[in-house]
Amino acid sequence: MIDRDLDEQISETLNEVADQTHADPQLVNRLIVNARSGRTRVATLRWRSTWVVPSLAVAAVVAIVIITILLTTSSAAHHSVPPASPSPAVTQTAPTSAAPSPARSATPTAARTAPASTTATSHPASTTTAETPSAVIQGGQQWTSPVLTITDHSLGAVSIGMSMTQAAHAAGFTSFTAIGDGVSIPTPWGPARSAAGYPELYVSRWAGPSGSTQAFTCVGAFIGTSTTKQVITTPEGVRLGDPASRILAVYGSRARNVPALPSGMDPVPSTSSPTTATTSSSNSDTQGQQIVAIVGGLTPVNCVG
Amino acid sequence: MDEARAFDAFVRAHATDLLRAATLTSGSRERGEELLQDTLTNLYPQWDKVVAADVPIAYVRRALMNRLISAGRSSGSRHVTLWDLPERWDGNDMSEAIATRRVIWQLLGALPDRQRVALVLRYFNDLADAQIAKVLGCREATVRSIISRALAALRRDLAVASITGKAASE
């Protein structure tokens, strides 16, 4: 066994192992997303889970900022224009600890009545604040649109309350594909889309007490590898990929900070309202905190983990 | 944002090279992924330093090896004595060459981290002693000593494995 030159045998052994080792695009995506969100573990994140990185990353984080805006009928009566949509909730994360269990919170949240499907396009530009980019808040946005608006209950033309078929058609596709953890993405989207520089878009079903009758209870978008190809924005103009400071700049005192629990179970804000959207952000370094996810849903905190 | 793009581009270009280095030094694909993720996550906040390095890939490789070695020192559990076998070796092909590689692979896992890293850098990355010294943060003479001891240990253990293997087959 040692007749042959040992140097040669070591070299052959190492090269043969190396030949069997390739970083596929899915792993590369995971490496990038995890590094950006400060996550030091990769093994538990298989491809499908990268679609719920908002959940996983946020579970690991130090702080959650929730911004709540209540939509009430009375408020509508007091305004000459329809009320500004939703109560975006913003999650700000820190990379100081490895993400714990991605288990979803079982904490109950305030129940709400799902909006009728007809509300998917019910937020015209006039409902937005002065900070709203002019390019956004167009009704009927398909998910291939270069600019997509996310509210507390909709992502583009896809609105909570729709069936999966309706949602797929609204998004501009024929169907959704379930990829696990209650998350569904348009068929045939996959990792290649993220690799091409698009954010990840999905609907998900949180089967909690308030969402049990809905086909899906959350809509969301998060940064895949880049956001250069598509803009995801709240009605107020907070965009995926913006610096986290943008949250406070836009929402001001409406932002609320909710620390994530060490267990990875997110606390649920007691004021979680029917009109809450959630934005989550994680920082990968101390200088540049970045918004990496925006979600909306019946119980938005559950939508991010 | 430019640094984020630079990071993306770097990872996409060098992920396989780095994963191979991580796998060879840590003993399995799974541990290699973890080591690489840990290294990239820790480097990302200071990616400007990586970009500014003379050879960024060498900088990252050095960080990767250092994380492996320092983790081994701090964990208390010294070496992985039984490494995961590559998939191709798990089949029925038990030719002598494959059998020898399996043994060598396992024996590499029994070496101290610094010795194993030095061997990987020399025999896989084809680095000169001076370059290996930079990675390990030591002098060239120390590198030669480390490699010499590693090879001696491998020869000894390989001889033992050969004898016990023959005895078992008789």
Side-chain angles (χ1 to χ4, degrees), chain A residues 25 28-29 32-33 36 51 143-147 189-201 221-232 240-241 290, chain B residues 1 4-5 8-9 12:
Chain A
V28 173
N29 286 340
I32 292 171
V33 171
R36 284 180 164 188
W51 292 89
W143 282 14
T144 50
S145 167
V147 179
W189 280 0
R193 178 179 151 84
S194 169
Y198 289 91
E200 322 288 15
L201 309 179
F222 72 93
I223 291 176
T225 57
S226 149
T227 56
T228 56
K229 299 284 182 65
Q230 191 175 35
V231 173
I232 308 297
L240 198 61
Q290 186 185 26
Chain B
M1 203 49 120
R5 289 201 187 99
D8 285 13
R12 292 189 188 289

Side-chain angles (χ1 to χ4, degrees), chain A residues 3-95:
Chain A
D3 295 337
R4 295 173 61 211
D5 182 60
L6 182 58
D7 291 0
E8 191 180 337
Q9 289 177 322
I10 294 171
S11 182
E12 286 176 358
T13 300
L14 295 174
N15 278 297
E16 183 147 348
V17 176
D19 284 346
Q20 299 183 54
T21 307
H22 298 276
D24 56 63
Q26 295 166 15
L27 172 65
V28 173
N29 286 340
R30 291 206 311 272
L31 290 170
I32 292 171
V33 171
N34 287 333
R36 284 180 164 188
S37 57
R39 187 182 170 92
T40 57
R41 304 270 308 168
V42 71
T44 54
L45 267 184
R46 294 307 170 196
W47 174 77
R48 65 181 179 86
S49 296
T50 66
W51 292 89
V52 287
V53 157
S55 317
L56 303 177
V58 170
V61 293
V62 171
I64 296 176
V65 178
I66 302 285
I67 302 167
T68 307
I69 306 168
L70 293 176
L71 265 184
T72 61
T73 346
S74 60
S75 70
H78 289 96
H79 292 77
S80 56
V81 295
S85 89
S87 37
V90 183
T91 309
Q92 181 176 334
T93 75

